[in-house]
Amino acid sequence: MSETIVVKIGTSSLTQPDGRLAVSAIATLAETLTNLRSSGYGVVLVSSGAVGVGCARLGLKERPRMMALKQAVAAVGQGRLMRIYDDFFTALEQPIAQVLLTRSTFGERTSYVNAYNTFHELLRLGVIPIVNENDTVAVEELKFGDNDTLSALVANLIEADWLFLLTDVDRLYSADPRTFPDAQPIIMVNNLEELEELQVQTGDRGSKWGTGGMVTKITAARIATRAGIRTVITQGQHPQNIQKILQGESIGTQFAPQTRTSNARKRWIAHGVISNGKLYLDVGAIYAIASAGKSLLAAGITNVSGEFQSSEAVQLCDAQGNEIARGIVNYSSSELKQIKGHRSEEIPAILGYVGVETVVHRDNLVITN
């Protein structure tokens, strides 16, 4: 298998304005992905559309807002969506698999490793996994928020080479071209700070039936490129462009990947775990972890926010609350509130027992900014 690609297609690319499925678009997508698989690529499809399809099936005129109704509609739509995918891929003799994920799959180490192994076995067998969030059981505080984020996390999980975000515009622009005709196209982004310099405006509204917008795609690109994955935003109506991009044609907007860490556990900490709190650090502690590669000690912590237990993930921030790193803590939030700012040798007297010297060991710490 030469390279692995993750393709995310949004609701706006899969459905017509009235919510019905755009069958021709799905047929073209299936043919494109099958051709890529036949060419030796490992292919994963992250597909939105379950709620939109469910709405059309049930005759609903707008996307539900209540969680229980949305989950019920997603359950109706997911089965319908998979049946249509299966019909098209079966006609092409391409096996597929349904993979439904929740945010907790990425946050718990054992589940994360199991998901990794499952994906790699499916790819080894020549199967195209079709991924969606398990809307039927997901709870609000553990939802991905959108499938752009899900696709970036899946790409990171399986160590993909490419992430394609298929949407309803042909590339990223300096402003919404549907509203501002003079908006400038952006072909290549070498780092995401360039977008701020170009004053790129990214709306957060998706289609009537979807949840995303360009801002969620930028967020996904940030996650993916930090994990060493080249990311492309291009038009979902022409999925065959994926093959042209892989052959070197300048279509869509590409985001250059950063250097990928070879440490699987650190990739999980950086992009998989859910942060349950923040530790605010002084300048000395920031230098120690970011520049000197040292562990975090209690003496360098100035403040603690959030409620968390030992072995959970937290953000490590500067005085303004900007994230510098993420890590797995050795103490709970209540313990850290007692020992913050104190030297390691003082901890036993404060807590009444001997704890570990480090708050976050360097092996469980990843610099993110």
Side-chain angles (χ1 to χ4, degrees), residues 234-283:
T234 190
Q235 198 160 39
Q237 291 180 338
H238 305 290
Q240 60 271 30
N241 283 344
I242 294 172
Q243 293 171 295
K244 296 178 181 179
I245 294 167
L246 290 169
Q247 292 165 1
E249 290 194 31
S250 181
I251 300 171
T253 299
Q254 291 197 25
F255 297 80
Q258 298 180 23
T259 303
R260 172 183 289 172
T261 174
S262 60
N263 188 309
R265 179 174 176 82
K266 290 205 171 188
R267 284 200 308 274
W268 168 67
I269 293 172
H271 306 294
V273 297
I274 302 168
S275 174
N276 292 304
K278 289 185 176 182
L279 304 183
Y280 293 83
L281 313 184
D282 62 24
V283 175

Side-chain angles (χ1 to χ4, degrees), residues 1-60:
M1 192 180 297
S2 55
E3 290 184 311
T4 302
I5 67 173
V6 174
V7 177
K8 183 268 177 179
I9 189 161
T11 301
S12 62
S13 301
L14 290 171
T15 57
Q16 300 174 24
D18 61 2
R20 291 182 300 160
L21 281 171
V23 178
S24 61
I26 297 174
T28 305
L29 176 67
E31 185 175 16
T32 298
L33 298 187
T34 299
N35 289 339
L36 287 168
R37 183 67 200 92
S38 299
S39 299
Y41 288 95
V43 180
V44 176
L45 173 62
V46 178
S47 176
S48 300
V51 174
V53 171
C55 286
R57 188 73 164 171
L58 296 171
L60 301 179

Side-chain angles (χ1 to χ4, degrees), residues 80-107:
R80 173 75 173 152
L81 185 62
M82 283 304 300
R83 178 182 174 181
I84 292 171
Y85 274 130
D86 191 55
D87 286 344
F88 281 113
F89 280 106
T90 297
L92 297 165
E93 300 183 352
Q94 171 59 53
I96 62 172
Q98 177 178 241
V99 180
L100 297 177
L101 300 173
T102 63
R103 190 66 180 85
S104 57
T105 304
F106 293 85

Side-chain angles (χ1 to χ4, degrees), residues 5-318:
I5 67 173
V6 174
V7 177
K8 183 268 177 179
I9 189 161
T11 301
S12 62
S13 301
L14 290 171
T15 57
Q16 300 174 24
D18 61 2
R20 291 182 300 160
L21 281 171
V23 178
S24 61
I26 297 174
T28 305
L29 176 67
E31 185 175 16
T32 298
L33 298 187
T34 299
N35 289 339
L36 287 168
R37 183 67 200 92
S38 299
S39 299
Y41 288 95
V43 180
V44 176
L45 173 62
V46 178
S47 176
S48 300
V51 174
V53 171
C55 286
R57 188 73 164 171
L58 296 171
L60 301 179
K61 301 302 181 184
E62 61 180 22
R63 187 182 182 90
R65 298 183 181 182
M66 290 178 55
M67 175 62 77
L69 178 57
K70 180 182 174 184
Q71 291 178 318
V73 170
V76 173
Q78 185 64 34
R80 173 75 173 152
L81 185 62
M82 283 304 300
R83 178 182 174 181
I84 292 171
Y85 274 130
D86 191 55
D87 286 344
F88 281 113
F89 280 106
T90 297
L92 297 165
E93 300 183 352
Q94 171 59 53
I96 62 172
Q98 177 178 241
V99 180
L100 297 177
L101 300 173
T102 63
R103 190 66 180 85
S104 57
T105 304
F106 293 85
E108 204 279 312
R109 181 65 180 164
T110 301
S111 297
Y112 187 86
V113 173
N114 286 343
Y116 171 89
N117 291 333
T118 298
F119 273 109
H120 277 269
E121 281 302 301
L122 288 170
L123 294 173
R124 185 185 66 81
L125 292 168
V127 175
I128 294 179
I130 299 181
V131 182
N132 199 355
E133 181 170 12
N134 194 346
D135 285 307
T136 306
V137 300
V139 294
E140 190 64 44
E141 61 269 23
L142 289 179
K143 288 182 68 62
F144 294 99
D146 60 86
N147 276 348
D148 294 321
T149 300
L150 171 59
S151 68
L153 292 173
V154 169
N156 175 60
L157 168 71
I158 67 172
E159 303 172 20
D161 299 284
W162 292 81
L163 170 62
F164 290 88
L165 301 171
L166 305 187
T167 185
D168 54 359
V169 294
D170 59 343
R171 56 169 51 96
L172 180 65
Y173 287 81
S174 57
D176 189 337
R178 295 167 295 190
T179 307
F180 302 94
D182 59 345
Q184 297 299 305
I186 298 171
I187 307 303
M188 173 64 72
V189 179
N190 290 304
N191 66 69
L192 288 163
E193 283 64 36
E194 292 179 4
L195 298 182
E196 297 178 9
E197 295 174 11
L198 293 168
Q199 297 182 323
V200 172
Q201 300 173 18
T202 53
D204 60 358
R205 294 183 62 190
S207 69
K208 175 183 177 183
W209 301 105
T211 59
M214 196 55 72
V215 68
T216 64
K217 290 164 182 59
I218 301 301
T219 300
R222 188 181 302 277
I223 294 170
T225 54
R226 283 179 174 175
I229 301 161
R230 183 171 292 275
T231 302
V232 183
I233 293 175
T234 190
Q235 198 160 39
Q237 291 180 338
H238 305 290
Q240 60 271 30
N241 283 344
I242 294 172
Q243 293 171 295
K244 296 178 181 179
I245 294 167
L246 290 169
Q247 292 165 1
E249 290 194 31
S250 181
I251 300 171
T253 299
Q254 291 197 25
F255 297 80
Q258 298 180 23
T259 303
R260 172 183 289 172
T261 174
S262 60
N263 188 309
R265 179 174 176 82
K266 290 205 171 188
R267 284 200 308 274
W268 168 67
I269 293 172
H271 306 294
V273 297
I274 302 168
S275 174
N276 292 304
K278 289 185 176 182
L279 304 183
Y280 293 83
L281 313 184
D282 62 24
V283 175
I286 292 172
Y287 175 82
I289 66 170
S291 300
K294 295 184 178 180
S295 301
L296 176 64
L297 304 179
I301 301 173
T302 60
N303 201 6
V304 179
S305 69
E307 299 293 329
F308 51 87
Q309 299 301 316
S310 172
S311 299
E312 292 186 341
V314 296
Q315 296 170 279
L316 309 181
C317 304
D318 62 18

Side-chain angles (χ1 to χ4, degrees), residues 350-363:
I350 296 170
L351 297 180
Y353 54 85
V354 178
V356 294
E357 180 181 2
T358 60
V359 171
V360 179
H361 192 275
R362 63 188 179 191
D363 291 344

